[in-house]
Structure formats: C-alpha cells, structure tokens
Amino acid sequence: MKQVRRIIALVAGLLALGGLAPAAAAQSCGTAPLKGERVALLIGNSAYNDFEWPSLKNAVNDIDYVCEAFERAGMAPRIVRNADKAALDKALDDFAAKARGAKSVLIYYAGHGFEYGGRNWLVPMDAPPATRRADVEKRYLSIEALVKHVVPKGAFTLLFVDACRTTEPVVRVEDVDVAAGVAGSAPLGLLDIGQGAVFYSTAKGRPALDFAPVGSPVSPFAAAVVHQLAIPGLEISDYFKIVSRDVYKATFGMQLGPQQPFHYGSWFDDYYLVAPVEVPQARAAAAALPVTAAAAPPAGATRGPAKPAADPLADISLDRLAIEDEPLLVADVLAHHPAAQLVALADGGHPLAQHLAGYMFSLGVGVKKDLPRARAYLEQSAAQGFPAGQQELAYLLLENDPSPDDVKRAYDLYLASSNAGFSKAKTHLAYRLAVGTFGPADFVRSQALYAEAAAKGHPAAIFALTYFPDTRAANMARLRTLADGGNPEGNHWLCEAHFADKTRKDAIEDCGVGARAGFAGSRAILADAYAKGDGVPVDAKEAAFWAKLARDLPELRKDQRDLIAGVGE
C-alpha cells in the first residue's frame, strides 16, 4: 500500500456534480462477454416489497450508472439486477466460470446487508426479514463465500458495498436469545478477502443514503465513485480518500448525514482503477503557458514573458497550496487539467505546474512514479523562488536518505519558503526545529512558526499549538470550528489533542469521525479507548477492529503502534 502523504507524520461542493448524474446507463452495459484481466460483478437490489424490506429506489440505478464508468476504465462488467437467491447463485456460477483468467475482480453491491455468525450477508429479493440459525445460509448470500467463489486464486479483490450499517437489526434470527447476551445480527463488519480492499459507502452504525440531494437519480456514493473515476492515475488509496471527501461534503448537514465512506485492505503494490498516463519528457513547450499572476513567484524572482489572457491554473492560489492536503488538491487539479497539460506547462516554465508535476512524479499520482524526474521539476520550481516548490523539494531531500549537504539545503529551502509566508513550510520547519533535525531543538522558534502557520489556517499547525499551555484553548476552539464546518481533519486533531491531554473521553465522537475518515492516529486512539473503556464501554471486538485498521496504514506513528500493541493480535 502506498504511503498516504499526510502532514500527520510531521507533528506527533456539494459533490462537484454540476447537474449531478446523467440518466442511468443503458441496460445493455454489462452484457458483453467477460474477457481480459480486469472484470467486474455488479449486483443491485432495489425492488424490495416495502412490507418486509424497505425498497431502495436507486440501488439498480447505481449499478447501471457505475457500469459504464467501470467499462470506460477498461473493465469487463457483468450486472445482476433484483435477483432472488436462486438467480444470484446461478449468476455467480456463470461469472466464476468466465472470469477464471482474471487478475483483478471488482465486486459492487447495492442493497441490504448484515453480519451474523462472524460472516457478512447480502439480502436477495426473496429473503425473509426473520429466519432461524439453520436457515441463514439458505436464505441469504455470504459475501465472503461470494468473493471466494468468483475471485480466482491470487487475483486482486476490490469490493464496493453500498448498504446501510445501522445498529437496528436488519434480520431477526428467531432462535437466538439476544436478551441473554447471545449475538444476533449486526451491521456489516470487516471482511477477510486476502489481497485487496473493501470500500463501504458508510461507517459502522450509520445509514447509507439512497439519494443526496433529494430527488437524485443515484446515491451519493455511486455519484462520487463515478465522478472521481474520471481522473486517471489515482492510486486506490488516494481514490478512496477523495470519494469519501465528496460523499461527506454532499451529505454534511442532511438530516441523516453526514455519510462517511469507510475503507480498509491490504495490498503490496500500487493499484489503479485508471492507469497513470505516459507523459514523455520534454513535451513541446509551445503547448505551455507562461507564468501568470496567480502562480507567480514572489517579488524579486525572475518572471516569464508577458502574461496571456488566461491561465488554466489561475484559481490555485498560494494560500490554498499552503493549507490543503496534497492528494485532495492534486485530485481536484487533475479533474480539470490532464496530466499531460500540467507537464507541458511545467516544461514551459510555469512554477506552480513544476511544483505539481514534482509531487505527481514523486508519488505516482496521475503519472508513473519517477523520482529523478520529480526532483528535476521541483528544482526548477524552487529555482524560480516558488515557495511551494521550495517546500516540496526540501521534503523530498529529507525523505530520501539525505546527506549532510541535503540537510543543510533542506533547511535553506524551508527557510526561504517560510520567509515568503508559505504556511506549510512554516509547519514543516517548526516540526524539524522541535525534533532537532537541523541542530539543537529550538522550541521557542518552533512555537513562533506554528503560530504564524496557524494564523493562516493550517490545521496541523493549529494542532501543534495545543501542546503549548498559553495557546491551547484558542487553538482547540479553532479545531472545533474546522470540525463543525465539515472538515474531518478538525475532528482528527481534536482527538489527538484530547488524547495528549488525557481528556480523550471528551472527544470520543471526534475520534470516531477521524477514524472513519481514515486518519491513522484517530483509529489507534479509538482502538485503545475501546480496549480500556475510556469514554466508551469496553468492547474487545471494536478495539480489535480499529486496531487492525490503524496498523494497515503505514503513516501510523511508532508511539501509536506501541499504544495498540497486542490489541486484537
């Protein structure tokens, strides 16, 4: 799994849908022969009878909608609509037989589901709302069994599940004495699928909205899945992150919202739904535009030729670069500007494009990973005095086995970027000064830099200031404002701050939001809370659940790994 770039390691619109979604895809999608190394099985159950089960108007619309998107991404899809148990079994047998040579299998389910007996189940159209223990396997379809049946041995599994995960029992198992403490049915839980990833449309204990906004022809999850699939070259962990952000923003403030998609998994190599594009070096600079006011270097730096009337990157300000998480920002840029255009702009001398290209090549976002090429673009951006390029180059130098000269140069770059007012550089430099990267620790200077970055709204700097008694209260309030405004990063840092202050029980809800949003620290802190009963009842199962998910993230700090050592292992 690729390490997600977070500043977390440095300090211990609606859905942009425009007219939302077009009409559901024609029902011809998913009928072509299954062939190739990447195949998809899409199951949608909408027409429940509203007596035994609530109907889901958009579930079949969703799979029709995502079908065309996955097909455009180079997958061979097969659709199963409104199927009873017998029809599902037959469809799975057919799919398994025809997908034997696949190296990657995507499964997308929209409908009702639940967990019982340590396994997860989807609900066929003819399934009853109540059953007996002996009949569970006859009436419902085990998702684990489905995966085992249709995914060839050694293939990568990617499972999307759009189903409610509320605590109310979806199915009543009649011969289970729940009152005596015997476990009945529960919300869909973790699936053990081996090499691959699971992407739930919502967090445990929360509903999955069938539409948002009201009247939408598809669910907010399906809309975001398709919307972000248009961006080539997003490694799957980054893709999950931006889809989750879109759904959270689209449902924030709704009566049953916000809805937080949730993912986990284990994979060793980068996985792309849409492969990075090949961008040859030294593309014709004629396609590039010169530097413009929005991306210009600071005063005194050399400027390019006369500015044209429009710059495609004019809406990306230094202030935005200085506080926004790079994966989200770069995904937004790639949604509007192909990677080839950004590289052409970089080759033409555009310092912001050079910064973006450097980041993209350093992590393989939108393009194939190429560290020498990444450094070359960042060197060009930094040479123009562009603060974001200076900061990113300093980071790259320190993260790749730096020599003493690299360390000195990184300091000079951070200092230049910080002096130009770039908040992210101030936070990086403050952290490095506090931990002694550049010599003896300097906490006074570190605090001053954090204060300057926090004043510009950088969340990690705001959190860092909660460690200083004289600035704690004001910055806790700042984090609360971020959280209340719909930014889960605010919730995460509140969780970290309360944990450090030994007041975790006051921030359990924030830890939950941060954990569901994918922040490693929040997951570890929540796991420890369930293990110790701090702010929540002791629950070994929940502790193990969150501990596993925290350990799966490479950015989890050592002290947090130590915190949950042994939990669920």
Side-chain angles (χ1 to χ4, degrees):
M1 182 190 297
K2 183 179 70 177
Q3 181 171 351
V4 178
R5 275 285 308 278
R6 290 189 195 278
I7 221 161
I8 188 173
L10 297 177
V11 290
L14 290 177
L15 199 51
L17 297 176
L20 192 64
Q27 293 208 358
S28 60
C29 184
T31 59
L34 288 177
K35 59 183 180 179
E37 295 186 346
R38 302 204 308 163
V39 297
L41 175 62
L42 315 176
I43 303 170
N45 286 342
S46 280
Y48 296 103
N49 60 19
D50 264 334
F51 174 68
E52 294 177 317
W53 302 96
S55 64
L56 301 171
K57 183 178 295 184
N58 283 340
V60 165
N61 290 349
D62 289 349
I63 60 165
D64 284 335
Y65 186 44
V66 302
C67 182
E68 285 197 342
F70 290 138
E71 201 169 50
R72 287 193 299 271
M75 298 180 196
R78 180 60 48 85
I79 283 184
V80 183
R81 301 179 183 87
N82 291 325
D84 60 21
K85 180 67 163 58
L88 270 172
D89 288 341
K90 184 176 183 302
L92 298 187
D93 288 342
D94 179 70
F95 183 90
K98 294 176 179 176
R100 286 175 181 160
K103 298 292 196 306
S104 173
V105 179
L106 183 150
I107 302 167
Y108 190 110
Y109 174 65
H112 292 302
F114 65 99
E115 180 186 30
Y116 173 72
R119 299 165 73 188
N120 293 273
W121 308 83
L122 60 82
V123 178
M125 299 308 302
D126 60 342
T131 189
R132 299 179 66 79
R133 287 176 295 179
D135 292 332
V136 171
E137 196 148 3
K138 299 175 187 175
R139 303 289 193 179
Y140 313 95
L141 179 61
S142 162
I143 300 177
E144 288 88 347
L146 183 160
V147 171
K148 186 175 181 180
H149 185 33
V150 305
V151 178
K153 185 176 181 180
F156 185 91
T157 304
L158 185 55
L159 181 60
F160 291 69
V161 182
D162 194 358
C164 286
R165 303 178 69 202
T166 50
T167 55
E168 296 81 5
V170 171
V171 167
R172 184 166 55 87
V173 185
E174 294 174 324
D175 54 344
V176 167
D177 190 352
V178 176
V182 181
S185 67
L188 287 160
L190 291 181
L191 294 120
D192 184 4
I193 61 168
Q195 192 60 288
V198 179
F199 196 17
Y200 280 123
S201 67
T202 192
K204 191 172 183 180
R206 300 290 299 166
L209 301 181
D210 198 33
F211 52 79
V214 174
S216 167
V218 294
S219 74
F221 184 65
V225 164
V226 171
H227 179 237
Q228 300 299 353
L229 200 62
I231 305 172
L234 290 180
E235 203 278 328
I236 196 69
S237 57
D238 287 338
Y239 174 78
F240 289 156
K241 183 176 182 180
I242 63 173
V243 169
S244 298
R245 175 204 57 177
D246 278 6
V247 175
Y248 189 82
K249 288 172 65 178
T251 57
F252 189 80
M254 294 187 68
Q255 183 177 2
L256 295 176
Q259 180 175 326
Q260 274 189 285
F262 174 77
H263 69 272
Y264 63 93
S266 176
W267 61 100
F268 304 114
D269 299 316
D270 287 354
Y271 181 88
Y272 298 88
L273 282 169
V274 182
V277 298
E278 292 276 4
V279 184
Q281 285 188 309
R283 289 179 64 88
L289 297 176
V291 181
T292 69
T302 303
R303 295 181 180 271
K307 295 185 286 291
D311 173 7
L313 303 182
D315 62 332
I316 304 172
S317 67
L318 271 174
D319 286 343
R320 183 183 177 194
L321 285 171
I323 64 173
E324 192 166 343
D325 199 13
E326 284 94 344
L328 299 178
L329 185 145
V330 172
D332 281 346
V333 173
L334 289 172
H336 299 93
H337 309 290
Q341 182 189 36
L342 291 175
V343 172
L345 286 166
D347 288 339
H350 195 301
L352 170 56
Q354 290 165 343
H355 160 67
L356 294 171
Y359 174 84
M360 289 158 56
F361 280 111
S362 70
L363 290 176
V365 178
V367 294
K368 289 191 174 180
K369 186 174 181 178
D370 187 333
L371 281 177
R373 199 168 174 188
R375 178 163 178 173
Y377 281 122
L378 292 176
E379 291 279 8
Q380 294 168 29
S381 182
Q384 295 196 61
F386 191 61
Q390 293 169 327
Q391 178 266 316
E392 194 69 29
L393 178 58
Y395 180 90
L396 189 70
L397 290 171
L398 292 178
E399 289 298 305
N400 289 277
D401 193 22
S403 67
D405 286 343
D406 289 334
V407 173
K408 181 181 183 305
R409 186 160 179 237
Y411 172 79
D412 292 339
L413 287 163
Y414 273 143
L415 185 62
S417 182
S418 175
N419 287 343
F422 195 61
S423 300
K424 198 171 289 183
K426 291 178 184 292
T427 301
H428 278 245
L429 180 56
Y431 169 78
R432 295 291 182 178
L433 289 171
V435 299
T437 301
F438 304 123
D442 187 341
F443 294 106
V444 173
R445 191 176 169 203
S446 175
Q447 183 179 6
L449 285 166
Y450 278 136
E452 292 171 11
K456 293 291 187 69
H458 195 212
I462 296 172
F463 162 70
L465 289 175
T466 65
Y467 274 90
F468 299 93
D470 57 328
T471 57
R472 177 176 174 78
N475 286 284
M476 292 294 282
R478 282 175 167 174
L479 292 176
R480 175 54 61 201
T481 299
L482 281 177
D484 290 348
N487 185 346
E489 191 172 356
N491 302 95
H492 163 66
W493 290 125
L494 282 167
C495 176
E496 291 256 16
H498 277 283
F499 177 73
D501 201 41
K502 297 183 171 53
T503 55
R504 172 174 51 189
K505 63 181 181 299
D506 296 332
I508 283 296
E509 289 300 319
D510 293 302
C511 292
V513 173
R516 293 189 292 270
F519 288 94
S522 286
R523 289 181 173 184
I525 292 167
L526 191 60
D528 183 63
Y530 276 112
K532 296 174 179 173
D534 185 13
V536 290
V538 171
D539 189 325
K541 186 175 180 182
E542 283 293 304
F545 175 90
W546 290 110
K548 176 189 182 328
L549 298 181
R551 290 190 195 99
D552 283 346
L553 297 176
E555 65 266 27
L556 186 66
R557 298 196 310 266
K558 182 182 183 303
D559 63 305
Q560 293 170 334
R561 289 189 184 276
D562 293 342
L563 177 70
I564 56 174
V567 177
E569 292 183 309

